[in-house]
């Protein structure tokens, strides 16, 4: 039995390494906006793994897209928690919102592909959206508690602003306009001067 354990451990590490290689390559292809231009089997060749390995971990192109998306959501959620743990609440919220614009700008290929995936009614997208909304809700609640922002605007409005920014990514002056939208949102969230705590 211990022999099986010894043999099993390297296999698990191997499987994890292969899965990570496919995900990393898929991520690159997402960023280039070519995710739907390649044959699915090409992902295995580009990642340096066999097609059997690809299909074992990701039986369909949509499963691979969802895995990349889940990984991204995890990264963004972890970033929100890190900001909340290290910055004053108002700054954490502002930094996260501005960071989301930077993220959308850096990964426009991913945004385009996810828009396509959305049309399939993927459960992963709804799940990821809920996870992101929860971390934004936490950031907003902390900023309200600190008196950094007004208490009559919820996370849903911020999520809508972020969705709108992402949906408009094809505009020629997108980055400047997206930064302006975040500035408007943050200005609108500020407590009016002299506002009481209630």
């Amino acid at each position: 039995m211990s022999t099986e354990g010894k043999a099993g451990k390297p296999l698990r590490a191997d499987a994890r390494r292969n899965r990570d290689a496919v995900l990393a390559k898929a991520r690159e292809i997402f960023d280039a906006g070519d995710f739907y231009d390649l044959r699915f089997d090409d992902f295995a060749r580009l990642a340096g793994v066999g097609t059997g390995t690809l299909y074992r971990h990701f039986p369909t192109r949509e499963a691979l897209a969802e895995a990349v998306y889940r990984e991204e959501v995890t990264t963004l959620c972890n970033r929100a928690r890190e900001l909340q743990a290290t910055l004053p609440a108002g700054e954490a919220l502002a930094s996260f919102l501005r960071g989301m614009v930077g993220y959308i700008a850096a990964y426009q290929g991913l945004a385009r592909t996810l828009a396509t995936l959305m049309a399939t009614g993927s459960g992963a997208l709804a799940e990821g959206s809920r996870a992101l909304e929860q971390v934004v809700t936490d950031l907003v609640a902390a900023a309200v508690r600190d008196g950094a922002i007004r208490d009559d605007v919820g996370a849903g409005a911020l999520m809508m602003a972020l969705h709108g920014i992402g949906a408009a990514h094809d505009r020629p002056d997108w980055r400047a306009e997206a930064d302006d939208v975040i500035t408007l949102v943050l200005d609108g969230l500020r407590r009016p001067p002299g506002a009481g705590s209630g």
Side-chain angles (χ1 to χ4, degrees), residues 167-178:
H169 69 267
D170 288 331
R171 290 176 61 82
D173 295 324
W174 179 87
R175 181 58 198 260
E177 291 173 346

Side-chain angles (χ1 to χ4, degrees), residues 43-191:
F43 286 94
R45 179 180 54 79
L46 292 168
V49 303
T51 53
T53 298
L54 171 67
Y55 283 98
R56 186 164 44 255
H57 292 293
F58 310 105
T60 64
R61 185 184 303 264
E62 286 68 31
L64 178 56
E66 288 182 2
V68 173
Y69 176 70
R70 281 192 181 99
E71 200 171 69
E72 291 307 304
V73 168
T74 298
T75 299
L76 290 168
C77 289
N78 288 343
R79 176 70 179 142
R81 292 183 194 104
E82 177 189 320
L83 289 169
Q84 195 169 2
T86 56
L87 292 176
E91 287 177 40
L93 177 61
S95 183
F96 182 76
L97 293 177
R98 292 203 183 279
M100 283 295 293
V101 171
Y103 172 85
I104 295 166
Y107 304 120
Q108 287 189 28
L110 180 60
R112 280 192 295 274
T113 304
L114 288 174
T116 305
L117 188 57
M118 233 182 272
T120 69
S122 166
L125 293 180
E127 177 188 312
S129 186
R130 281 193 300 272
L132 282 171
E133 185 156 355
Q134 185 56 58
V135 295
V136 172
T137 298
D138 294 345
L139 288 167
V140 167
V144 167
R145 277 194 308 273
D146 274 13
I149 64 170
R150 53 199 286 177
D151 62 3
D152 59 346
V153 179
L158 301 186
M159 293 301 292
M160 189 176 285
L162 290 172
H163 283 301
I165 287 169
H169 69 267
D170 288 331
R171 290 176 61 82
D173 295 324
W174 179 87
R175 181 58 198 260
E177 291 173 346
D179 286 334
D180 287 347
V181 170
I182 295 299
T183 297
L184 284 170
V185 166
L186 291 170
D187 285 349
L189 284 173
R190 264 191 211 102
R191 293 174 65 80

